[in-house]
């Protein structure tokens, strides 16, 4: 209501006469993203297949990601401990 009455400066009777689609259009809200269907999931899986990482890689530290030695030891970087 605030968006219609304050931002769009609609009179209350104009606001209540709008359909949700008309209000969304006036607010610049686009259509909702497409739902995830089996076909859409299959399309995404074919475009972005899972590939195994290098041996020893873990989810917590993906291959190629570097962390500071102090952080690994449980201390903040640069902190005296």
């Amino acid at each position: 209501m605030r968006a219609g009455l304050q931002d769009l400066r609609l009179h209350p009777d104009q606001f209540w006469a709008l359909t949700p689609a008309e209000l969304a259009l006036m607010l610049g809200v686009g259509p909702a993203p497409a739902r995830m269907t089996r076909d859409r999931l299959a399309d995404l899986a074919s475009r972005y297949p899972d590939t195994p990482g290098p041996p020893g890689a873990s989810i917590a530290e993906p291959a190629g990601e570097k962390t500071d030695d102090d952080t690994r030891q449980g201390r903040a970087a640069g902190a005296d401990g």
Side-chain angles (χ1 to χ4, degrees), residues 43-67:
D43 179 51
L44 288 171
S46 68
R47 281 197 231 172
Y48 307 100
D50 289 338
T51 56
S58 69
I59 294 174
E61 188 176 330
E65 185 175 308
K66 305 288 186 215
T67 51

Side-chain angles (χ1 to χ4, degrees), residues 3-43:
L5 299 176
Q6 288 183 341
D7 298 342
L8 297 175
R9 302 199 183 279
L10 296 172
H11 194 271
D13 62 336
Q14 294 171 318
F15 173 79
W16 291 113
L18 292 174
T19 65
E22 290 170 330
L23 181 59
L25 179 66
M26 292 176 77
L27 292 172
V29 177
R35 292 179 48 192
M36 182 61 69
T37 62
R38 288 180 190 260
D39 290 338
R40 188 160 176 242
L41 179 60
D43 179 51

